[in-house]
Amino acid sequence: MATKYSIPRGTYDILPDISYRRIYVEQMFYKIAATFNFKQIVTPIFERSDVFERSVGDTSDIVQKEMYRFTDKKGRKFALRPEGTASVVRSYVENNLGMAGGATRLCYSGPMFRYDRPQKGRYRQFYQYGVEYLGSDDPMVDAEIIALGHRYLTALGLKNFKLEINSIGSANCAKDYDAALVDYFTPHLDAMCRDCRQRIDKNPKRLLDCKVASCKAIAKDAPNMLEYLDDDCKTHFTAVQRYLAQMGIPFSVNPTIVRGLDYYNKTAFEFIDTNLGAQNTLIGGGRYNGLVAQFGGKDVPGIGFAGGFERLMLSMETEGCFFGEEPRPQIYFVALGNAAKVAAAGILYRLRSQGISAEYNVEKTSMKAQMKAADKSGAKGVLILGDDELKDNVVVLKWLETGKQKRIKIDNIAEELHPE
Ligand code: HAM
């Protein structure tokens, strides 16, 4: 018996009946990004594993547990990319994209890979869209990046999302805050999970982010980051809020947002759909000043975000959003008899060359079967060619909605279908 194959756990096929929806949301992303003058960058789906290890950070879940690592034939260590920022920054430095000075605005989309327990809205191969802005620490840029995320969700017709922002400070304020967190959490450690116990020394802020219920209960009363911000971070965060207010973008400050990746500082934000269940972050992002320098470039500040298409589309389904028109052929060709079939080959090719989408089913020969298939295809019109028509160099054009029909010259079909 032939072996039956099945798809790897945590992955999925995008089947043809809904692939147009994915195309719609992806195209809308690039359209909105372009209005903010972002240009697309495409990087490989695998990189040297240290590209992620050093930037995403060795205390992150991604690096500790979720990376798909492999060694190639020459023993080099690679990983399937778990996210896009590290690759984009690697490329920015390697290709001197900042050479001309000023801002570099980059956007991307594509598959990412994380080994995690699959659930609704969480996959092992998932698809992210994202933007990265390199070259400024101005808080107006933070607001613009957030505005881009807001604009995208709004353009897709989503309404039930909220924006939460925070400042997680810089290395300068982190020292005092981390010490305060260690003081606070240490007496509770016995009641906390293994991850938290391990992380307290390396990155105590991650304890604020733990999803385990008992840890969450303890973290609830932990010291508030915002009270530890230095003057620079405080001024920056106040300015970001002022710019957002100016843009009319509603937000709330949530001091528990820390984000799960180590490269963040200053502004951190999330767009959340509260109807989605556990995996409810539509978009997550923040500032990562210092990351470019870590990759060997100049000390260029950066900020960006990324979101998963899967959750986005789940939200859109829940809210009944428009997903673009389902593609269907403009015309369905019905050929009766062998001579008509041969002629159809030439006519169809010419029509398609003129940009008209046309369907013809070689397996169906009778008028009845072909007309039934035409109805099913969703085509607007049918072109019928039999021996009589062929003799006169015409076809019958029948509009399926009205039932109206007329004979038209074969040479005039395109004109008739595209009157402009
Ligand atoms: P992240 O929070 O790890 O950040 O992921 C961003 C978004 O990707 C999440 O909010 C979620 O929508 C989606 N996502 C993440 N993991 C999965 C998964 N397993 N299945 C489905 N969707 C998922 C980053 O990746 C950063 N690179 C964002 C960023 C860009 N920060 C600055 N620039």
Side-chain angles (χ1 to χ4, degrees):
M1 213 173 76
T3 314
K4 263 202 174 166
Y5 293 103
S6 56
I7 196 164
R9 188 164 138 77
T11 68
Y12 61 94
D13 297 314
I14 302 172
L15 296 175
D17 59 337
I18 58 142
S19 57
Y20 74 96
R21 295 176 162 219
R22 262 297 297 278
I23 294 171
Y24 176 78
V25 291
E26 192 162 36
Q27 283 179 346
M28 182 68 88
F29 170 66
Y30 284 114
K31 192 171 140 194
I32 300 297
T35 62
F36 286 72
N37 201 22
F38 279 69
K39 298 206 170 88
Q40 193 191 37
I41 182 167
V42 180
T43 60
I45 59 166
F46 69 99
E47 299 267 358
R48 272 174 45 171
S49 27
D50 55 355
V51 165
F52 307 111
E53 278 153 6
R54 288 177 41 204
S55 57
V56 174
D58 53 10
T59 65
S60 66
D61 282 343
I62 293 178
V63 170
Q64 279 187 343
K65 310 178 194 163
E66 298 171 2
M67 282 225 293
Y68 278 92
R69 297 166 207 270
F70 64 97
T71 308
D72 75 0
K73 286 189 179 172
K74 293 226 164 120
R76 288 171 291 220
K77 291 185 172 135
F78 292 108
L80 295 182
R81 61 180 184 194
E83 59 106 49
T85 312
S87 308
V88 169
V89 172
R90 192 266 312 137
S91 176
Y92 174 85
V93 172
E94 192 171 350
N95 296 296
N96 272 319
L97 296 185
M99 204 163 54
T104 308
R105 298 177 178 88
L106 303 167
C107 56
Y108 53 89
S109 62
M112 307 289 164
F113 305 84
R114 297 184 192 178
Y115 187 88
D116 200 349
R117 201 168 41 79
Q119 55 176 270
K120 188 176 163 206
R122 186 162 78 192
Y123 298 87
R124 291 184 174 166
Q125 173 168 341
F126 59 102
Y127 296 81
Q128 267 188 351
Y129 52 91
V131 300
E132 312 295 347
Y133 185 119
L134 294 138
S136 178
D137 185 42
D138 194 302
M140 184 171 164
V141 172
D142 304 37
E144 255 186 45
I145 290 292
I146 294 172
L148 204 173
H150 182 269
R151 178 70 204 108
Y152 178 46
L153 301 182
T154 312
L156 291 173
L158 288 168
K159 293 195 179 74
N160 297 335
F161 64 85
K162 57 181 186 178
L163 165 63
E164 294 187 342
I165 64 170
N166 189 24
S167 174
I168 55 172
S170 61
N172 188 33
C173 19
K175 269 187 260 122
D176 283 350
Y177 184 52
D178 286 356
L181 287 177
V182 172
D183 281 352
Y184 172 79
F185 280 115
T186 303
H188 297 290
L189 275 185
D190 284 347
M192 299 188 78
C193 72
R194 216 179 60 182
D195 280 348
C196 285
R197 291 202 299 272
Q198 280 174 353
R199 283 175 180 155
I200 187 155
D201 294 325
K202 279 196 164 169
N203 191 351
K205 276 199 278 297
R206 291 298 315 284
L207 276 62
L208 298 170
D209 196 30
C210 184
K211 302 284 181 278
V212 176
S214 53
C215 301
K216 253 181 158 168
I218 295 166
K220 193 166 58 61
D221 299 320
N224 183 338
M225 175 77 227
L226 296 175
E227 287 162 18
Y228 288 78
L229 295 182
D230 65 13
D231 286 346
D232 175 43
C233 291
K234 225 182 264 172
T235 317
H236 187 99
F237 192 44
T238 309
V240 173
Q241 296 177 56
R242 207 172 45 233
Y243 284 118
L244 286 174
Q246 189 67 30
M247 293 166 171
I249 294 177
F251 63 89
S252 58
V253 174
N254 176 355
T256 66
I257 292 181
V258 294
R259 311 278 302 123
L261 300 84
D262 288 357
Y263 50 60
Y264 289 116
N265 41 60
K266 288 188 162 175
T267 312
F269 59 93
E270 291 182 345
F271 286 92
I272 291 164
D273 181 339
T274 37
N275 297 327
L276 267 189
Q279 303 302 316
N280 62 4
T281 311
L282 290 175
I283 290 179
R287 197 162 262 296
Y288 46 82
N289 297 349
L291 187 58
V292 177
Q294 209 180 305
F295 273 89
K298 283 199 204 134
D299 193 8
V300 174
I303 179 166
F305 71 66
F309 279 123
E310 296 79 7
R311 294 174 197 188
L312 184 72
M313 294 175 71
L314 276 172
S315 287
M316 288 174 69
E317 263 164 42
T318 314
E319 291 194 43
C321 297
F322 177 66
F323 273 103
E325 295 289 350
E326 189 172 355
R328 42 188 193 151
Q330 276 169 282
I331 60 116
Y332 194 100
F333 206 98
V334 172
L336 303 168
N338 215 30
K341 180 182 169 192
V342 172
I347 299 169
L348 280 164
Y349 184 65
R350 280 195 297 282
L351 289 179
R352 288 165 177 159
S353 307
Q354 287 164 302
I356 291 163
S357 60
E359 159 89 291
Y360 171 67
N361 189 333
V362 285
E363 300 300 327
K364 299 198 192 307
T365 47
S366 79
M367 176 80 168
K368 199 173 157 208
Q370 293 189 71
M371 286 308 286
K372 212 170 141 195
D375 264 332
K376 219 173 133 199
S377 75
K380 290 204 187 87
V382 186
L383 293 174
I384 304 162
L385 183 67
D387 289 339
D388 282 354
E389 288 79 19
L390 201 51
K391 217 167 41 232
D392 298 341
N393 224 9
V394 297
V395 289
V396 173
L397 167 62
K398 178 172 179 183
W399 295 110
L400 284 175
E401 214 168 275
T402 57
K404 280 193 185 147
Q405 63 179 64
K406 63 175 173 181
R407 283 158 75 90
I408 52 175
K409 285 244 168 289
I410 286 177
D411 287 343
N412 295 345
I413 300 174
E415 235 169 73
E416 194 73 36
L417 295 171
H418 272 170
E420 69 277 5

